[in-house]
Amino acid sequence: MDSSTTRRDATRRRLFEAAVTLIAEQGFSSTTVDEIAERAGVAKGTVYYNFASKNVLFEELLRHGIELLATSLQAASDEVADRGGRRIDALDAMIRAGLDFISRYPALTRLYVAELWRTNRAWQSTLMVVRKRAISVVEEVLREAVADGELSDEIDIPLTASALFGMVLVAALDWQSYQPDRSIDEVHAALSRLLQGRVSGRDA
């Protein structure tokens, strides 16, 4: 990778970080390109050089962030599979990976959850695509668990995957907003017990 590409990637990362923080703090409509540029430490023209508009920047931000999350979930699942673990253990590892991701990117998570409930945005189709990307990773592990007999074939895989994904998002945001004194290990342990008891049908 040449130096110009490295510099551009670094600039785009700064713009992503600035945009997600500002939009999470004050909303999309109230956030200006000038503010994003100032927070990122670049000229306003640099924003438009990298992204055609604020809408495009936001759509790319969603894609970038959720791809990071999906990659993290997949890596957690693969690690368990590589050591011969059960699919239910892979799901548990994905819960931990999700909590780790949210603790590193809380502003992005708050923004993503807020946007899920809005249906009049120009980027609604993009939001649906990135949501599917993340949930599909969970769905695949559930399908494998059913195929291997670890889980009942009566499980509604798409709905269960959505429920697990939503459980982690909501629990993590509640943890950070209202129970910040709890450790990530405590939060993971609580969600792990829910997973083991409700999805696998047995206590951990």
Side-chain angles (χ1 to χ4, degrees):
M1 183 179 293
D2 60 38
S3 59
S4 62
T5 301
T6 301
R7 285 196 302 273
R8 188 180 184 200
D9 287 347
T11 298
R12 288 170 71 91
R13 280 196 301 272
R14 290 203 303 275
L15 289 170
F16 279 134
E17 291 167 3
V20 72
T21 301
L22 286 166
I23 294 170
E25 288 174 354
Q26 58 195 35
F28 178 81
S29 298
S30 299
T31 300
T32 67
V33 172
D34 285 336
E35 289 174 319
I36 293 171
E38 181 179 359
R39 179 68 68 93
V42 302
K44 181 178 179 179
T46 301
V47 180
Y48 289 116
Y49 175 76
N50 285 274
F51 305 99
S53 67
K54 189 173 72 168
N55 276 3
V56 171
L57 169 57
F58 188 72
E59 288 191 52
E60 288 300 312
L61 185 155
L62 288 172
R63 290 181 186 276
H64 176 71
I66 299 305
E67 185 59 36
L68 287 177
L69 172 58
T71 299
S72 177
L73 297 178
Q74 187 65 64
S77 174
D78 290 345
E79 183 180 350
V80 172
D82 288 345
R83 64 172 186 263
R86 301 176 303 159
R87 299 304 193 286
I88 200 73
D89 296 324
L91 291 170
D92 186 59
M94 293 165 83
I95 287 176
R96 178 58 185 241
L99 292 173
D100 286 336
F101 179 88
I102 292 167
S103 68
R104 291 199 306 272
Y105 304 102
L108 175 65
T109 307
R110 288 195 299 272
L111 185 57
Y112 172 76
V113 171
E115 291 300 319
L116 278 177
W117 303 106
R118 297 189 173 105
T119 58
N120 60 343
R121 299 295 206 188
W123 51 79
Q124 187 66 23
S125 60
T126 298
L127 192 62
M128 293 302 99
V129 169
V130 298
R131 174 187 172 277
K132 183 174 179 57
R133 167 73 179 104
I135 291 178
S136 66
V137 180
V138 184
E139 287 182 349
E140 181 59 27
V141 175
L142 287 171
R143 286 193 187 93
E144 292 172 353
V146 170
D148 289 350
E150 285 187 37
L151 298 178
S152 168
D153 59 9
E154 295 180 355
I155 283 180
D156 184 319
I157 291 175
L159 190 57
T160 301
S162 296
L164 289 172
F165 186 69
M167 175 184 74
V168 175
L169 285 178
V170 174
L173 291 177
D174 184 87
W175 159 45
Q176 294 191 340
S177 298
Y178 304 111
Q179 306 179 62
D181 54 314
R182 286 181 175 270
S183 69
I184 191 170
D185 290 334
E186 288 180 290
V187 178
H188 176 223
L191 297 185
S192 180
R193 283 190 288 272
L194 280 174
L195 170 72
Q196 298 285 350
R198 300 304 181 187
V199 176
S200 71
R202 57 178 176 272
D203 292 333

